[in-house]
Amino acid sequence: MEEFRLHSNTTMSTNENTNPVLIAGAGPVGMTAALALHARGIDTAILEAESEDRDRDGSRAIYVHGSTLRTLERIHPGLGTDLVDEGLVWPTRRTLYRGKEVFNRTYDSPGGSGDIPHFTSVPQVVTEAYMHDALEDIGIEIHWDSEVVTVDTSPDGVHVETGDGAEWEAEYLIGADGGGSEVRNEIGANFEGDQSENAFLIADIEEEGGHGEELERMFHYDAPETDGRNVLLVPFTGGWRLDIQCLGDDDPEELKSDERMQEFIRDVMGEEYVDNLKWVSTYYFLQVMADTFVDEHRRVLLAGEAAHLLAPFGARGMNSGVADADEAASAIAVALGARTDAVARDEIELYAARREKAAEYNLEAAGQALEYLQGENPATILRKEAAASLADTFEEAGEWLDDAPYGPHGSPPIVSTGNY
Ligand SMILES: Cc1cc2nc3c(=O)[nH]c(=O)nc-3n(C[C@H](O)[C@H](O)[C@H](O)COP(=O)(O)OP(=O)(O)OC[C@H]3O[C@@H](n4cnc5c(N)ncnc54)[C@H](O)[C@@H]3O)c2cc1C
């Protein structure tokens, strides 16, 4: 006979370290998960390894898709529109090929109509600051300096220990503790996948006094200014993301020196930006996902970079992490209200099925962009050259060159919230 379970609010004691749901990690995904749980009437708290006065370096996720903004607006009214007010929508897409313009299009209404545009461009630190304010508004606590060190699960729930020696009980745990996830290690899940062959140099350059109206996102193939390296330049509120793809025999650490960066900035952006470098880092992008997104007892759900790491082309990282978080909250809400263990288990398994499928799809899409950019395939090289030589006559050829670095636009086959 089916075993019946008690509702969470009747099983929980008043111990302050007891919550129906705990979240590991106060990155954008963990904070979204907390907001999404609250929106569904579920109490939660976040355990965060770092201190409250931490610095989060770099602009990172600047491209926030409309579907992500809509999800944030749905779970915390005002959050999506605040980010829209804070961000910017660039109206022009421009692409050059070895110094020659091959595509240039300006949209009259680049964001579309309505309160939520197709995208907004805003640094991740700003998005996180707004999420943080939203958590404060509704009284969700972040326990800083609380690194999750062990996770034990059973059919009845989760026991967590943090580095400060505190012990925590919960019915469910969302592991949103980023790429190096300890929660993932603790449930015995493993990352599987590849790493990019090329390194990428990513820098933030400040725009003093704010941007004007005429903003463009620019991609330059084999740019002469960078001795034949691909360059991407994207505006965001307060600055520019400069992304330079290293060549095979480059030493990325040498290229990231102040002297070399100043040369790149001068040659790509102009003398007036030379002293405006705010941050620079080098990356080899991992393309990996966990072999399972849930533990054996269906009590721990991995979300965001704890579950998958994607190359950033197509901007699927944070965007898909927000969808994970919202879906994890939705599954947990049903599971907590379930009157049978089997229904609860099933719901968590459905989360894993949906989000593993989505991650596979997103990995494939980001992988196509990466493969295209690394450009080793002779057919791709030929296609790029043919498109560049036809671009003056056929706009479609230039548009293809403009579009291809970001991979396909499609969404995963099973989508319930968000598009990624
Ligand atoms: C250069 C670059 C550009 C990018 N551009 C985009 C873009 O345009 N659009 C996009 O969607 N994505 C983009 N991304 C990806 C995006 O930055 C990540 O997907 C996003 O930060 C993942 O969020 P997260 O909350 O899963 O992980 P994180 O942001 O890594 O947060 C994890 C949190 O968990 C904490 N933590 C770690 N271990 C523990 C522990 N044991 N216990 C408790 N807490 C712990 C960490 O301190 C951190 O606060 C980009 C990434 C890079 C590097």
Side-chain angles (χ1 to χ4, degrees):
M1 199 174 98
E2 188 60 80
E3 191 186 333
F4 283 81
R5 68 208 300 266
L6 295 173
H7 281 232
S8 60
N9 53 1
T10 57
T11 55
M12 291 291 108
S13 80
T14 53
N15 177 338
E16 64 163 355
N17 286 0
T18 306
N19 275 281
V21 186
L22 284 171
I23 296 164
V29 174
M31 289 195 279
T32 302
L35 296 170
L37 285 164
H38 178 84
R40 292 170 172 90
I42 298 162
D43 291 337
T44 187
I46 302 181
L47 307 175
E48 166 56 51
E50 293 186 331
S51 302
E52 189 166 9
D53 61 357
R54 67 176 170 173
D55 266 335
R56 295 274 274 169
D57 276 348
S59 56
R60 298 210 283 164
I62 52 172
Y63 193 98
V64 185
H65 287 282
S67 63
T68 299
L69 295 167
R70 282 191 293 279
T71 299
L72 297 175
E73 184 65 18
R74 178 163 48 72
I75 59 176
H76 190 84
L79 177 56
T81 49
D82 278 347
L83 292 178
V84 173
D85 292 345
E86 196 63 49
L88 59 83
V89 178
W90 28 262
T92 300
R93 295 158 56 188
R94 191 158 86 99
T95 290
L96 296 97
Y97 196 90
R98 298 185 183 145
K100 177 180 157 243
E101 185 174 286
V102 289
F103 186 76
N104 189 338
R105 182 181 294 162
T106 298
Y107 295 84
D108 290 338
S109 153
S113 53
D115 291 347
I116 303 279
H118 302 317
F119 71 95
T120 196
S121 190
V122 63
Q124 186 169 324
V125 279
V126 173
T127 301
E128 291 184 12
Y130 274 92
M131 288 177 168
H132 192 250
D133 288 351
L135 293 177
E136 270 188 1
D137 277 355
I138 55 179
I140 292 179
E141 197 166 352
I142 300 178
H143 298 271
W144 300 98
D145 304 303
S146 297
E147 181 184 6
V148 170
V149 288
T150 66
V151 177
D152 292 303
T153 70
S154 73
D156 300 323
V158 192
H159 178 87
V160 173
E161 269 180 44
T162 43
D164 54 359
E167 306 211 10
W168 308 76
E169 303 291 339
E171 298 231 11
Y172 292 94
L173 170 70
I174 297 179
D177 50 342
S181 174
E182 193 52 38
V183 175
R184 185 182 66 239
N185 293 339
E186 285 287 296
I187 65 168
N190 294 300
F191 264 165
E192 291 173 351
D194 307 316
Q195 177 178 298
S196 67
E197 282 159 33
N198 294 70
F200 290 80
L201 202 57
I202 297 189
D204 288 347
I205 289 91
E206 188 178 4
E207 176 66 55
E208 285 168 349
H211 288 287
E213 293 283 290
E214 289 172 15
L215 281 174
E216 63 181 28
R217 182 274 283 136
M218 187 275 293
F219 191 89
H220 196 158
Y221 291 86
D222 302 357
E225 296 87 342
T226 54
D227 302 321
R229 298 176 180 90
N230 289 337
V231 176
L232 171 66
L233 190 62
V234 186
F236 61 79
T237 308
W240 295 86
R241 156 80 54 78
L242 174 63
D243 182 335
I244 298 173
Q245 182 182 338
C246 298
L247 300 172
D249 50 2
D250 280 342
D251 170 2
E253 291 310 307
E254 193 267 316
L255 293 185
K256 134 181 194 221
S257 66
D258 285 352
E259 207 185 333
R260 291 304 300 270
M261 281 309 299
Q262 286 193 334
E263 279 174 38
F264 284 138
I265 294 169
R266 176 182 302 111
D267 296 345
V268 174
M269 301 181 69
E271 187 71 41
E272 66 272 32
Y273 291 97
V274 163
D275 295 323
N276 293 10
L277 175 66
K278 287 287 144 210
W279 169 85
V280 58
S281 189
T282 56
Y283 290 92
Y284 285 92
F285 293 119
L286 288 168
Q287 281 271 100
V288 293
M289 64 181 273
D291 51 7
T292 172
F293 283 14
V294 292
D295 71 307
E296 60 175 319
H297 297 296
R298 309 319 190 214
R299 292 286 175 170
V300 177
L301 298 80
L302 300 178
E305 290 204 338
H308 45 75
L309 287 172
L310 309 172
F313 310 101
R316 292 169 181 269
M318 186 181 80
N319 286 294
S320 70
V322 164
D324 291 342
D326 191 40
E327 294 220 23
S330 176
I332 289 173
V334 175
L336 283 172
R339 295 194 185 277
T340 76
D341 286 336
V343 164
R345 234 185 117 82
D346 219 43
E347 200 58 29
I348 304 303
E349 281 174 10
L350 271 173
Y351 165 79
R354 277 202 289 263
R355 295 318 295 167
E356 287 171 13
K357 234 347 164 228
E360 278 166 22
Y361 184 92
N362 289 322
L363 270 170
E364 171 64 28
Q368 278 184 38
L370 194 60
E371 198 180 310
Y372 173 83
L373 286 170
Q374 295 187 145
E376 297 302 320
N377 180 338
T380 308
I381 297 171
L382 213 61
R383 216 175 149 198
K384 278 185 213 173
E385 282 175 3
S389 65
L390 289 171
D392 280 345
T393 332
F394 296 106
E395 198 189 21
E396 291 83 353
E399 186 163 17
W400 177 76
L401 284 168
D402 183 78
D403 217 25
Y406 315 101
H409 292 283
S411 305
I414 313 168
V415 175
S416 47
T417 68
N419 278 354
Y420 298 94

